[in-house]
């Protein structure tokens, strides 16, 4: 007890000092502007960080998208207006990338749409099923919760390398296929299979995170509702359809929005696993932006910035659409 | 208590004056990448330099090769680069180099010994600056696993003729692979630079009459078609080009005896000496022939001073030491690199290896210098050659997987290069 008392005495000034400093600064400000406007001062530090690291780069990116040449500094770059956007959208047939001036950009868009549709659907579906299973009283529930979450802790590079070794021609998957009498296959070289595997690997790597969110949503549903539905004679499916899903819907929208944003921004897993190949079959928009702006000898920052603006605006529209749908469904 | 205060005061005073003592010491940084043991050798040489020059300390920042290609240009453009760097995009970064001429004690030595290669590091119109020196001259060319040929009972084509064509090598490599069930008959580094030698041998001109880069000729198309088809029929390593981004090599496959014929270059000799040793007989063979010659591509890496350095005199002192004939000779001998130095070419380098395979291999590469076509030298000296090489690599890959026809791929290469050069101004 005595020791705790000493610690308390030592810690007290350490805690009180910052309080005293903040008090010295904020009290005169409050006296000057009034208590109603003090909220602005509290959010100011956060806004400053947001402004410097998010808003300013966005504005700078907007400016870069309107400039040409290969110089790095904005003041050295000639203003070209919407020319970069015109280059990106110069296309005879948007469904045929080969007819577009920037064919790789349109291949990136086409691949990104396919990837997002399948990956987000996969994430939502498998996370939901897993969360429902892990929410039941099964044997070793804690162990299984850890197992499903474990891939989230792995670096994307590690995940991609592990799966590269599994999927390579002399890899584990082909060994298993051959044991069962099948023929080995170059899984990542096949243009049809490559997209399947990048979706599969990213779902495997990320679903643990979304499972955890859905699990938290499931656990927040009051058990009394299930008791009531049971008294009313509802079966498991009706429980799920009329109790679980409506109450889980807000959490589902969070998962949908987060996984969608992550899917559109996907780069690391795919870059290591397939390099965007075979050819450009799994090259998404983000890789196009990276290659155009940084990887080539003559770095086209303007075109890259314009493409990233298209990506950002698409993402914004999709997210707003989802939020609108989410609000409508919750009102209904 | 007084003693504690006294000690505190003395320590504070010492800390305050410490920077004054170290002010004479200049710290220089080199951005470096390794193919083999060269970083280790450089450190050893610099340790000796530092012992004789206590006013200069040199730090080596070893980074992946990709960082030299992608991050270094951005750092240099932002004025935040190192004092010196090892680069391979020799002409592309020329605007950032330090002209060391005013700081060198004997600029004539550099002109005499590095003269032919100084142009590779200069901007068009510049014929006098001295930005650095080549750490090695590289020649692209093929390695074969001779042991596999012997085990398969198939004659090595270059034993029978001085001028073996690409088709003859392909046929022989496929025969060996089939006889021994080796997974990969042939492989070529995923690089437009590596492809350029075979293309020039097939008659590719790479420049039009106005000196503008072009791939619109039969020679280029001929080799491109052959190369794409080899990927489709399994003659070439089927995954390396289609399933990679940027550069990729087949070192592991060759070292593991899974590959019969590997088109790469002289910088691999040191690595193969260590990785393979004499586990099997590996050998360099002369570049295959076509209607345009039997050429590989020259190339190499250079250590250059960076113009934004705050210590140009000290950079020049370090460079003079490293570029001196004795030191560069030792560097070449220990790294098994071919020196790009006239004096060393005249005297020869006694390569520091007991492995006869490595010595023979280096001998073949040195012998190849005389067979290189002028187009190959012109292309290497062209400042924006990487734009051409990168487009070749990426578009031919698309043709291999059926995203583009061969003609579309060649058109796209030309478009990509024209667009990039137009932006470059």
């Amino acid at each position: 007890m005595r020791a705790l008392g000493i610690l308390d005495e030592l810690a007290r000034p350490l805690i009180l000092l910052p309080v005293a400093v903040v008090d010295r600064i904020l009290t005169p400000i409050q006296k000057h502007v009034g208590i109603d406007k003090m909220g602005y001062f509290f959010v100011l530090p956060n806004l400053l960080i947001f402004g410097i690291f998010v808003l300013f780069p966005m504005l700078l990116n907007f400016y870069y998208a309107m400039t040409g040449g290969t110089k790095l500094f904005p003041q050295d770059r000639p203003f070209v207006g919407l020319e970069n956007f015109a280059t990106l959208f110069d296309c005879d047939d948007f469904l045929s990338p080969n007819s577009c001036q920037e064919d790789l950009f349109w291949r990136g868009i086409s691949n990104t749409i396919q990837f997002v549709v399948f990956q987000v659907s996969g994430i939502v579906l498998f996370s939901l099923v897993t969360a429902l299973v892990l929410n039941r009283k099964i044997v070793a529930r804690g162990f299984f919760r850890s197992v499903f979450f474990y891939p989230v802790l792995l670096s994307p590079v590690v995940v991609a390398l592990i799966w590269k070794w599994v999927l390579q021609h002399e890899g584990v998957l082909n060994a298993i296929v051959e044991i069962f009498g099948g023929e080995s296959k170059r899984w990542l070289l096949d243009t049809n299979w490559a997209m399947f595997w990048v979706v599969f690997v990213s779902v495997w790597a990320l679903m643990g995170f979304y499972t955890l969110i859905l699990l938290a949503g499931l656990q927040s549903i009051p058990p009394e509702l299930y008791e009531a539905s049971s008294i009313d004679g509802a079966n498991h499916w009706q429980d799920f359809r009329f109790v679980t899903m409506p109450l889980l819907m807000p959490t589902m929208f969070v998962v949908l929005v987060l996984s969608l944003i992550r899917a559109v921004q996907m780069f690391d897993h795919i870059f290591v696993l397939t390099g965007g190949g075979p050819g450009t079959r799994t090259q998404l928009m983000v890789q196009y932006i990276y290659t155009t702006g940084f990887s080539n000898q003559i770095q086209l920052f303007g075109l890259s910035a314009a493409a990233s603006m298209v990506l950002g605006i698409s993402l914004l529209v999709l997210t707003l659409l989802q939020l609108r749908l989410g609000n409508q469904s919750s009102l209904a | 208590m007084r003693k504690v205060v006294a000690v505190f005061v003395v320590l504070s005073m010492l800390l305050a004056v410490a920077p004054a003592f170290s002010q004479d010491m200049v710290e220089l940084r080199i951005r470096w990448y390794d193919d083999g043991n060269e970083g280790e050798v450089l450190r050893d040489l610099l340790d000796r330099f530092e012992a004789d020059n206590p006013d200069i300390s040199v730090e080596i920042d070893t980074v992946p090769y990709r960082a030299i290609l992608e991050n270094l240009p951005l750092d240099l453009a932002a004025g935040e680069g190192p004092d010196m760097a090892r680069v391979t995009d020799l002409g592309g970064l020329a605007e950032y180099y330090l002209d060391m001429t005013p700081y060198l004690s004997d600029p004539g030595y550099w002109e005499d010994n590095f003269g032919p290669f100084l142009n590779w590091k200069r901007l068009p119109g510049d014929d006098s600056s001295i930005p650095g020196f080549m750490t090695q001259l590289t020649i692209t060319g093929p390695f074969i696993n001779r042991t596999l040929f012997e085990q398969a009972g198939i004659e090595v084509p270059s034993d029978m003729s001085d001028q073996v064509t690409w088709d003859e090598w392909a046929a022989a490599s496929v025969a060996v692979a089939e006889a021994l069930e080796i997974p990969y008959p042939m492989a070529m580094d995923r690089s437009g630079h590596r492809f350029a030698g075979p293309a020039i041998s097939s008659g590719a001109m790479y420049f039009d009459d106005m000196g503008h880069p072009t791939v619109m000729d039969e020679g280029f198309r001929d080799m491109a078609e052959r190369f794409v088809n080899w990927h489709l029929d399994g003659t070439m390593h089927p995954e390396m080009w289609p399933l990679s981004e940027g550069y990729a090599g087949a070192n592991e496959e060759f070292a593991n005896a899974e590959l019969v014929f590997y088109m790469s270059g002289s910088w691999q000799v040191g690595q193969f000496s260590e990785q393979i040793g004499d586990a099997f007989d590996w050998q360099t063979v002369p570049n295959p022939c076509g209607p345009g010659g039997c050429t590989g591509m020259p190339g190499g890496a250079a250590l250059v001073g960076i113009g934004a350095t705050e210590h140009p005199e000290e950079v020049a002192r370090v460079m003079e030491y490293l570029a001196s004939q004795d030191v560069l000779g030792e560097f070449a001998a220990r790294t098994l690199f071919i020196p790009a130095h006239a004096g060393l070419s005249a005297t020869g380098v006694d390569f520091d290896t007991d492995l006869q395979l490595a010595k023979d291999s280096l001998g073949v590469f040195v012998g190849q210098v005389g067979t290189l076509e002028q187009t190959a030298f012109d292309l290497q000296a062209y400042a924006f050659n990487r734009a051409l090489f990168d487009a070749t690599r990426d578009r031919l890959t698309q043709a291999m997987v059926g995203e583009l026809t061969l003609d579309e791929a060649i058109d796209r290469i030309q478009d990509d290069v024209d667009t990039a050069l137009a932006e470059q101004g």
Side-chain angles (χ1 to χ4, degrees):
Chain A
M1 282 304 284
R2 187 176 153 71
L4 277 177
I6 293 169
L7 271 178
D8 189 40
E9 269 183 35
L10 285 172
R12 192 182 297 270
L14 286 176
I15 295 164
L16 290 179
L17 184 68
V19 174
V21 171
V22 171
D23 188 48
R24 277 278 171 87
I25 298 168
L26 291 183
T27 305
I29 295 174
Q30 187 177 322
K31 278 181 186 164
H32 188 68
V33 299
I35 197 160
D36 291 347
K37 291 178 181 165
M38 278 310 286
Y40 294 111
F41 287 92
F42 291 124
V43 296
L44 189 64
N46 200 8
L47 279 180
L48 271 177
I49 291 169
F50 178 81
I52 293 168
F53 294 108
V54 179
L55 198 60
F56 177 66
M58 277 171 65
L59 293 173
L60 201 61
N61 187 75
F62 178 72
Y63 179 74
Y64 267 84
M66 304 283 178
T67 62
T70 57
K71 296 289 182 193
L72 180 64
F73 290 114
Q75 68 270 21
D76 301 331
R77 300 177 58 80
F79 187 80
V80 296
L82 296 174
E83 201 176 283
N84 288 318
F85 293 96
T87 304
L88 288 178
F89 286 91
D90 181 4
C91 208
D92 292 337
D93 175 4
F94 289 107
L95 295 176
S96 168
N98 284 356
S99 69
C100 304
Q101 188 180 342
E102 275 302 305
D103 60 325
L104 297 178
F105 173 72
W106 288 99
R107 282 183 193 284
I109 286 189
S110 164
N111 292 338
T112 304
I113 291 171
Q114 291 173 47
F115 178 80
V116 168
V117 168
F118 290 114
Q119 201 250 18
V120 173
S121 310
I123 289 259
V124 172
L125 181 68
F126 289 112
S127 301
L128 179 63
V129 171
T130 314
L132 287 169
V133 171
L134 293 177
N135 197 40
R136 299 176 75 87
K137 285 175 184 162
I138 55 169
V139 179
R141 185 166 67 168
F143 170 75
F144 283 115
R145 282 180 182 176
S146 310
V147 164
F148 279 100
F149 190 70
Y150 182 67
V152 179
L153 303 175
L154 294 176
S155 142
V157 175
V158 173
V159 168
L161 282 177
I162 290 170
W163 279 99
K164 202 170 185 172
W165 291 328
V166 170
L167 297 170
Q168 67 188 10
H169 193 240
E170 289 82 26
V172 178
L173 183 63
N174 275 336
I176 295 169
V177 168
E178 282 174 8
I179 286 170
F180 288 101
E183 262 191 41
S184 65
K185 199 170 173 56
R186 294 187 189 278
W187 299 103
L188 296 176
L189 194 61
D190 186 313
T191 47
N192 298 315
W193 278 101
M195 184 56 90
F196 168 81
W197 283 114
V198 297
V199 169
F200 178 88
V201 171
S202 64
V203 169
W204 178 85
L206 301 173
M207 63 173 272
F209 174 68
Y210 301 104
T211 301
L212 206 67
I213 296 176
L214 289 173
L215 202 54
L218 285 171
Q219 286 174 354
S220 68
I221 298 173
E224 296 81 24
L225 293 177
Y226 291 107
E227 284 170 22
S229 72
S230 150
I231 291 166
D232 290 343
N235 58 26
H236 284 309
W237 167 248
Q238 285 166 329
D239 271 353
F240 176 72
R241 171 76 181 81
F242 296 109
V243 180
T244 308
M245 277 312 279
L247 291 171
L248 197 61
M249 205 45 91
T251 318
M252 289 279 283
F253 269 108
V254 171
V255 166
L256 199 63
V257 171
L258 289 180
S259 61
L260 184 102
I261 292 171
R262 180 77 172 90
V264 174
Q265 294 173 334
M266 180 61 73
F267 176 74
D268 33 22
H269 287 113
I270 300 176
F271 192 70
V272 179
L273 187 65
T274 65
T280 57
R281 182 64 186 91
T282 58
Q283 182 175 304
L284 307 190
M285 270 177 82
V286 177
Q287 191 177 334
Y288 168 82
I289 291 165
Y290 162 72
T291 309
T292 307
F294 302 103
S295 170
N296 290 336
Q297 182 189 27
I298 296 175
Q299 296 163 328
L300 305 176
F301 300 123
L303 203 58
S304 184
S308 66
M309 279 201 63
V310 174
L311 179 71
I313 290 167
S314 317
L315 207 54
L316 187 70
V317 169
L318 276 173
T319 309
L320 289 175
L321 203 66
Q322 276 185 330
L323 288 175
R324 171 66 65 90
L325 287 172
N327 287 339
Q328 278 177 357
S329 73
S330 58
L331 284 174
Chain B
M1 189 64 191
R2 273 188 185 176
K3 276 184 184 173
V4 174
V5 172
V7 168
F8 181 75
V9 169
V10 169
L11 275 176
S12 305
M13 287 170 69
L14 278 175
L15 281 173
V17 297
F21 284 116
S22 62
Q23 261 175 6
D24 293 340
M25 167 77 85
V26 170
E27 185 184 273
L28 301 176
R29 303 199 82 88
I30 299 179
R31 189 85 54 92
W32 187 264
Y33 73 92
D34 281 332
D35 278 324
N37 68 337
E38 62 269 34
E40 201 181 306
V41 175
L42 180 74
R43 182 68 266 167
D44 185 38
L45 296 171
L46 287 172
D47 285 346
R48 276 186 249 161
F49 172 81
E50 287 174 352
D52 294 338
N53 298 271
D55 58 324
I56 298 177
S57 147
V58 188
E59 289 295 321
I60 304 172
D61 300 316
T62 305
V63 296
Y65 180 54
R66 184 183 277 270
I68 295 286
L69 291 181
E70 293 174 12
N71 299 67
L72 181 67
L74 288 176
D75 289 347
L76 296 178
E80 291 178 355
D83 300 287
M84 289 164 272
R86 185 186 191 205
V87 296
T88 53
D89 186 6
L90 306 175
L93 299 175
E95 64 181 299
Y96 305 114
Y97 298 160
L98 169 72
D99 178 10
M100 297 188 298
T101 313
Y103 310 105
L104 295 172
S105 58
D106 182 12
Y109 168 84
W110 292 69
E111 288 288 353
D112 293 345
N113 288 294
F114 301 110
F117 308 107
L118 286 172
N119 273 338
W120 292 1
K121 300 182 279 292
R122 288 171 177 158
L123 285 171
D126 170 15
D127 58 2
S128 64
S129 71
I130 301 177
F133 66 95
M134 303 293 289
T135 55
Q136 84 251 50
L137 174 67
T138 59
I139 311 289
T140 62
F143 292 89
I144 61 161
N145 183 329
R146 193 178 186 88
T147 303
L148 293 180
F149 278 88
E150 287 164 2
Q151 287 173 347
I154 292 168
E155 287 242 41
V156 174
S158 55
D159 288 353
M160 300 178 282
S161 167
D162 290 340
Q163 297 205 331
V164 185
T165 64
W166 273 98
D167 288 336
E168 286 167 338
W169 271 117
S173 302
V174 169
V176 171
E178 282 176 354
L180 300 175
E181 295 188 355
I182 300 294
Y184 311 115
M186 299 175 99
M188 182 187 287
D189 285 340
R190 191 173 190 273
S191 155
H193 179 266
R194 230 63 81 240
F195 177 82
I200 295 168
S201 297
S202 290
M205 301 306 293
Y206 273 104
F207 296 99
D208 62 19
D209 295 339
M210 306 295 288
H212 185 81
T214 178
V215 292
M216 309 301 279
D217 58 46
E218 271 310 302
F220 185 92
R221 194 185 186 289
D222 183 47
M223 191 63 213
E225 185 173 24
R226 191 174 277 130
F227 190 61
V228 169
N229 287 337
W230 281 338
H231 277 85
L232 297 178
D233 68 16
T235 302
M236 281 273 171
H237 191 310
E239 288 173 350
M240 213 173 83
W241 277 59
L243 267 184
S244 304
E245 197 281 336
Y247 172 84
N251 304 42
E252 279 184 30
E253 288 87 339
F254 189 72
N256 289 324
E258 294 177 324
L259 174 61
V260 181
F261 177 103
Y262 178 27
M263 177 67 188
S264 188
S266 57
W267 59 93
Q268 303 278 20
V269 173
Q271 205 176 111
F272 288 161
S273 300
E274 289 201 358
Q275 281 183 348
I276 306 171
D278 58 359
F280 60 79
D281 287 345
W282 52 277
Q283 180 186 343
T284 302
V285 293
N287 274 295
C289 300
C294 313
T295 188
M297 277 291 290
L303 185 65
V304 292
I306 302 300
T309 180
E310 291 173 4
H311 310 287
E313 285 177 41
E314 286 80 4
V315 165
R317 275 169 62 194
V318 174
M319 291 289 228
E320 279 196 311
Y321 164 77
L322 290 173
S324 62
Q325 186 157 338
D326 289 347
V327 174
L328 195 57
E330 184 183 337
F331 180 81
R334 290 171 64 184
T335 56
L336 307 186
F337 284 160
I338 300 168
H341 181 282
L344 288 170
S345 298
T347 60
V349 175
D350 185 13
F351 289 108
D352 189 10
T353 175
D354 295 330
L355 193 65
Q356 193 56 42
L357 293 169
K359 286 186 177 176
D360 292 346
S361 206
L362 286 166
V364 174
F365 277 120
V366 171
Q368 290 286 290
V369 177
T371 68
L372 300 180
E373 294 292 322
Q374 186 55 44
T375 307
F377 282 106
D378 294 343
L379 185 55
Q380 176 57 27
Y382 180 58
F384 302 112
N385 56 19
R386 233 190 87 207
L388 193 55
F389 295 150
D390 290 353
T392 302
R393 177 197 67 202
D394 295 338
R395 295 304 187 174
L396 288 186
T397 301
Q398 285 187 274
M400 286 168 200
V401 299
E403 288 178 358
L404 299 173
T405 64
L406 182 64
D407 289 324
E408 284 171 342
I410 292 172
D411 288 344
R412 286 285 181 181
I413 295 170
Q414 192 63 51
D415 285 348
D416 289 349
V417 173
D418 291 344
T419 305
L421 291 177
E423 284 291 323
Q424 180 67 30

